[in-house]
Amino acid sequence: MAIATAIGVLIAQQRRFTHLVRRRLNEQQHHTNLANQQRLHWELLSKAMEDPALAAVLDTHNGAIAPEKYRQFLFANALYTNALLSYRIGNVNRAELFGHLRGTVQNPVFREYWEATRTARASLAENSVEARVGRMLDGLIRDLDEADTDEWWVVGEPPE
């Protein structure tokens, strides 16, 4: 009886271990896929930044944004998606992302980009990582705009 119990425990542990290994491999594959997607995103944005004819394909503002400004917006998008990827794959935690973005939003071009893309962010699934980070950034910008200090690096509460 004791041997049968021991064998049952070993089988259960083996199944649990196999499940954990598969889960870890799936996470690693997911991170690899995200990184590959980010690299492709950067390559496409780079081409658009270099060639106004290609940038026109991405323009959802019907030419209302000057080409030079639009190339800046494409670069701002690349910076933001890079920060988002760093968070999604665990290179930075939420508080570190918050601190990085708190510095990023000091740039007026990035702020213009963020405002110009507000309607596009409205279509994100409410519970998606990108939507949650977007709301965090919106709150941070609001806090910075309402702050009574020029010391922007202390404004806002880093999320847990």
Side-chain angles (χ1 to χ4, degrees), residues 2-49:
I3 293 176
T5 301
I7 290 173
V9 168
L10 286 174
I11 290 171
Q13 287 177 339
Q14 178 62 35
R15 286 182 181 151
R16 216 170 309 134
F17 177 74
T18 300
H19 173 73
L20 290 173
V21 167
R22 282 188 184 134
R23 193 166 109 200
R24 181 66 180 144
L25 288 173
N26 286 340
E27 283 178 14
Q28 288 175 342
Q29 184 61 51
H30 181 68
H31 290 169
T32 299
N33 291 346
L34 285 171
N36 287 337
Q37 179 62 40
Q38 177 68 24
R39 187 180 68 252
L40 178 58
H41 182 253
W42 171 249
E43 289 172 9
L44 292 169
L45 287 180
S46 293
K47 289 176 188 260
M49 286 184 281

Side-chain angles (χ1 to χ4, degrees), residues 15-134:
R15 286 182 181 151
R16 216 170 309 134
F17 177 74
T18 300
H19 173 73
L20 290 173
V21 167
R22 282 188 184 134
R23 193 166 109 200
R24 181 66 180 144
L25 288 173
N26 286 340
E27 283 178 14
Q28 288 175 342
Q29 184 61 51
H30 181 68
H31 290 169
T32 299
N33 291 346
L34 285 171
N36 287 337
Q37 179 62 40
Q38 177 68 24
R39 187 180 68 252
L40 178 58
H41 182 253
W42 171 249
E43 289 172 9
L44 292 169
L45 287 180
S46 293
K47 289 176 188 260
M49 286 184 281
E50 293 168 3
D51 185 341
L54 296 178
V57 175
L58 298 174
D59 185 0
T60 59
H61 303 279
N62 299 320
I65 300 171
E68 183 177 326
K69 177 67 69 178
Y70 193 68
R71 283 192 298 279
Q72 291 174 329
F73 282 10
L74 293 174
F75 189 74
N77 175 266
L79 290 176
Y80 174 69
T81 56
N82 183 62
L84 183 64
L85 174 70
S86 292
Y87 171 65
R88 290 182 72 183
I89 65 175
N91 285 352
V92 298
N93 63 32
R94 196 164 167 86
E96 291 168 325
L97 176 65
F98 181 86
H100 172 74
L101 292 174
R102 182 168 43 196
T104 302
V105 299
Q106 297 309 304
N107 183 280
V109 175
F110 185 87
R111 288 271 194 118
E112 285 180 70
Y113 155 76
W114 193 250
E115 185 56 37
T117 57
R118 179 172 303 286
T119 56
R121 288 191 308 282
S123 67
L124 295 171
E126 186 176 334
N127 289 324
S128 70
V129 172
E130 189 171 356
R132 290 192 312 266
V133 170

